[in-house]
Amino acid sequence: MISAAARRNVLEAAADAVAVFRASAVSMVVVLVLGLSSSPTMWLLVNVLLVSPFMFLAVAAHEAAHALTGLAVGMKPYRVSVGTGRTIFETSIRNCRIDVHALPLSGVTYLATRAPRWVGLRFWVAIAGGPVFSVLLVQALGLVQGDRRLAALSDSFAPSTVAWIAAWFALAGSVIPLSFKSTLGQSRTDAWLLLTLPFWSAPRLAELRIAFHLLEAFDHHHARRFVEAIACCDGAIAQAPDSYAARLTRASLLVAQGEFALGRAEARTLLSRTPAWPD
């Protein structure tokens, strides 16, 4: 007899499969609307259904470029998240959490540095690493395709052409300057950050300087090491006493630890203030 947990796992796997198929179907509609083939064929259907898995690879490569560029300029990647929606896979590589979600529509890399100098520049370079890699990937795959890039979709099995299209999607998602609401709060594309980061005020840059404290607090929280997590928040507050993010994180950790009265008191204090950056 199948247990309730097993049935739940099967249903969750089926939901993930449906989500991925939906993404592939949307990709197919986009390709057809753009008129990439005047006479749809079975090969076109097969190739377009490959867009979703290749999008996972393109987004993962883009986020990996952020992480590796950050390492090159003295930063530490704490987490790389590929896709959006339900989490379907989690692992850890060199203390960097990797999680993959059901829909390959976006990605985010969490980086920070303990270095006291050139923090804004380090972040800017790490952010630029993703789009630069995507441009190079598009160019490389385009050279492989030659002049028959889109025509190949209808004529034969064309994974390299699909990879080229997926790379274009990943690139477009990073070079269009947008700021939008998401499950992570207020999200911004790489282009938005690259254009605005050089003009951030000193107090806002101070939030970048304490980011490593908060990201380490999240890692400790994930491992249920609440004392260490709260100590990280205390370090952030000592460095940036007016940081709303650090104080809100500390209040949340106190509640998670079971210190409800203290956490509630700190949260109530925060409610009387207006954060400089509400997101």
Side-chain angles (χ1 to χ4, degrees), residues 181 184-186 188 204 244-245 248 273-279:
K181 294 284 187 180
L184 298 174
Q186 191 71 19
R188 298 171 176 86
R204 191 167 189 180
Y244 198 96
L248 181 61
R273 297 172 45 193
T274 299
W277 305 283
D279 53 306

Side-chain angles (χ1 to χ4, degrees), residues 264-275:
R264 182 173 183 270
E266 293 200 12
R268 283 173 61 88
T269 300
L270 285 173
L271 289 175
S272 65
R273 297 172 45 193
T274 299

Side-chain angles (χ1 to χ4, degrees), residues 97-120:
R97 288 173 54 199
I98 312 292
D99 50 75
V100 178
H101 302 264
L103 295 175
L105 302 178
S106 62
V108 61
T109 299
Y110 297 84
L111 294 150
T113 178
R114 292 179 179 271
R117 301 183 61 191
W118 307 109
V119 175

Side-chain angles (χ1 to χ4, degrees), residues 4-203:
R7 286 196 300 270
R8 185 168 58 252
N9 290 336
V10 170
L11 291 174
E12 289 178 351
D16 294 335
V18 169
V20 172
F21 177 79
R22 186 184 300 125
S24 297
V26 170
S27 303
M28 180 177 65
V29 170
V30 170
V31 172
L32 292 176
V33 168
L34 291 176
L36 300 185
S37 173
S38 56
S39 55
T41 66
M42 182 59 68
W43 281 123
L44 178 64
L45 175 62
V46 170
N47 288 322
V48 170
L49 289 176
L50 291 176
V51 170
S52 189
F54 273 101
M55 273 293 295
F56 273 114
L57 295 177
V59 172
H62 180 96
E63 298 305 324
H66 283 308
L68 293 175
T69 306
L71 282 171
V73 295
M75 304 184 75
K76 176 184 175 182
Y78 284 84
R79 179 183 171 192
V80 175
S81 183
V82 178
T84 187
R86 283 177 28 79
T87 302
I88 59 176
F89 176 74
E90 286 184 279
T91 188
S92 180
I93 300 176
R94 293 183 176 273
N95 296 320
C96 176
R97 288 173 54 199
I98 312 292
D99 50 75
V100 178
H101 302 264
L103 295 175
L105 302 178
S106 62
V108 61
T109 299
Y110 297 84
L111 294 150
T113 178
R114 292 179 179 271
R117 301 183 61 191
W118 307 109
V119 175
L121 180 59
R122 293 173 197 269
F123 270 94
W124 196 94
V125 172
I127 294 168
V132 168
F133 174 82
S134 292
V135 168
L136 296 176
L137 183 61
V138 166
Q139 292 297 320
L141 291 172
L143 290 174
V144 171
Q145 292 304 299
D147 295 331
R148 292 190 67 259
R149 299 170 189 171
L150 300 180
L153 289 172
S154 296
D155 298 342
S156 62
F157 183 58
S160 58
T161 300
V162 176
W164 177 72
I165 293 173
W168 261 114
F169 283 169
L171 175 61
S174 67
V175 299
I176 299 174
L178 292 174
S179 178
F180 56 94
K181 294 284 187 180
S182 74
T183 55
L184 298 174
Q186 191 71 19
S187 297
R188 298 171 176 86
T189 62
D190 292 340
W192 182 280
L193 292 171
L194 292 173
L195 291 172
T196 60
L197 184 56
F199 305 100
W200 282 15
S201 64

